[in-house]
Amino acid sequence: EIGVRLVGSEMCIRDREIDLVTKTVRSRMTQNRYHGYFILGYAILLSVETGMRVGELCALKWDDVKADGIHIHAQQLMYKENGRNYYYVDWTKDEKGFSQGGRRFPITIEIRNLLSEIKSVQDSLGIKSEYVFCNREGRWIYTKAYSDCLRALCRSLGFQVTNNHAFRMSLNSNVFIPLGIPVTERARLLGHSVAVSYTHLTLPTIL
């Protein structure tokens, strides 16, 4: 039985559903159709751990991974002109077109192990790229590909919420708030203003 918890006017995936997402991604990594490289699944797993936005995940470079944290300071954007065109900008959504140095997300043991696993898999397959999430040719993954993959996965699990933003809200509600992290620090970690800090509300669960 799948449920979601309302947070403000949107929906938040509960921790047990997060576990189901993680287990499903891990299971799909063993499927023959991915030939040992389900990179979109790895991006989903990092989003669960960090609450990074889709564009931030796609723009993440190995150089942004430091010993003590991930430097989140860029994003992939898209414009339509004779099809979809993707480009890199050195500022995040909350910086609104002007780089202010981005933010740093601490590397937990889980994040460190996940990034090490991705690098190990890429090395074993001879994949070379400056981007953490790239295809077998080393080109960065696109935001649409990620969002489409996540939406299909969530729908297959019966979720009502199918977008990456839910992971940001879930990290805040399921992890940050129970740990007693102050609202200002939660806002800094997720990269938004205190005014939109996804305040947790105790509302009935929708099943």
Side-chain angles (χ1 to χ4, degrees), residues 102-126:
R103 68 188 188 277
R104 190 174 295 271
F105 196 97
I107 292 185
T108 62
I109 293 175
E110 291 78 11
I111 293 173
R112 188 179 305 281
N113 289 342
L114 178 60
L115 291 170
S116 294
E117 181 182 343
I118 295 170
K119 192 68 172 67
S120 178
V121 170
Q122 291 177 343
D123 288 345
S124 69
L125 295 173

Side-chain angles (χ1 to χ4, degrees), residues 5-8 172-173 177 186 197-203:
R5 181 171 57 240
L6 287 177
V7 179
N172 184 66
S173 293
I177 290 177
R186 300 201 310 265
S197 58
Y198 311 143
T199 302
H200 175 77
L201 299 178
T202 302
L203 294 177

Side-chain angles (χ1 to χ4, degrees), residues 153-204:
L153 184 146
C154 289
R155 285 177 176 170
S156 73
L157 296 176
F159 289 6
Q160 291 175 288
V161 58
T162 62
N163 58 72
N164 187 75
H165 188 69
F167 290 153
R168 293 169 56 77
M169 299 171 67
S170 295
L171 186 63
N172 184 66
S173 293
N174 300 333
V175 180
F176 291 168
I177 290 177
L179 286 174
I181 297 176
V183 63
T184 52
E185 179 64 6
R186 300 201 310 265
R188 185 194 68 77
L189 289 169
L190 292 173
H192 55 60
S193 68
V194 175
V196 289
S197 58
Y198 311 143
T199 302
H200 175 77
L201 299 178
T202 302
L203 294 177

Side-chain angles (χ1 to χ4, degrees), residues 44-90:
I44 290 171
L45 295 182
L46 188 64
S47 180
V48 167
E49 295 290 339
T50 64
M52 291 174 66
R53 299 181 177 96
V54 179
E56 295 168 348
L57 289 166
C58 294
L60 184 66
K61 297 182 178 181
W62 285 112
D63 284 348
D64 298 326
V65 179
K66 311 298 182 183
D68 60 341
I70 299 175
H71 186 200
I72 304 170
H73 64 97
Q75 62 179 322
Q76 180 190 97
L77 296 179
M78 184 270 291
Y79 69 91
K80 291 184 179 180
E81 184 177 320
N82 298 321
R84 290 185 173 87
N85 297 277
Y86 298 87
Y87 61 102
Y88 179 100
V89 295
D90 196 19

Side-chain angles (χ1 to χ4, degrees), residues 113-157:
N113 289 342
L114 178 60
L115 291 170
S116 294
E117 181 182 343
I118 295 170
K119 192 68 172 67
S120 178
V121 170
Q122 291 177 343
D123 288 345
S124 69
L125 295 173
I127 298 172
K128 304 295 182 184
S129 177
E130 63 182 319
Y131 293 100
V132 174
F133 301 110
C134 62
N135 62 19
R136 288 175 176 267
E137 287 70 46
R139 295 190 298 272
W140 63 353
I141 64 172
Y142 293 151
T143 52
K144 185 179 186 304
Y146 173 88
S147 295
D148 287 350
C149 176
L150 177 60
R151 184 179 303 109
L153 184 146
C154 289
R155 285 177 176 170
S156 73
L157 296 176

Side-chain angles (χ1 to χ4, degrees), residues 2-22:
I2 302 301
V4 293
R5 181 171 57 240
L6 287 177
V7 179
S9 61
E10 300 186 60
M11 291 181 286
C12 171
I13 302 176
R14 297 183 300 188
D15 49 3
R16 64 172 178 167
E17 278 76 56
I18 290 291
D19 289 342
L20 183 56
V21 167
T22 299

Side-chain angles (χ1 to χ4, degrees), residues 19-55:
D19 289 342
L20 183 56
V21 167
T22 299
K23 290 177 181 177
T24 302
V25 167
R26 285 294 181 184
S27 175
R28 292 190 180 188
M29 284 180 175
T30 65
Q31 295 179 0
N32 292 333
R33 60 173 169 162
Y34 296 112
H35 305 288
Y37 191 60
F38 184 24
I39 194 59
L40 294 173
Y42 279 121
I44 290 171
L45 295 182
L46 188 64
S47 180
V48 167
E49 295 290 339
T50 64
M52 291 174 66
R53 299 181 177 96
V54 179

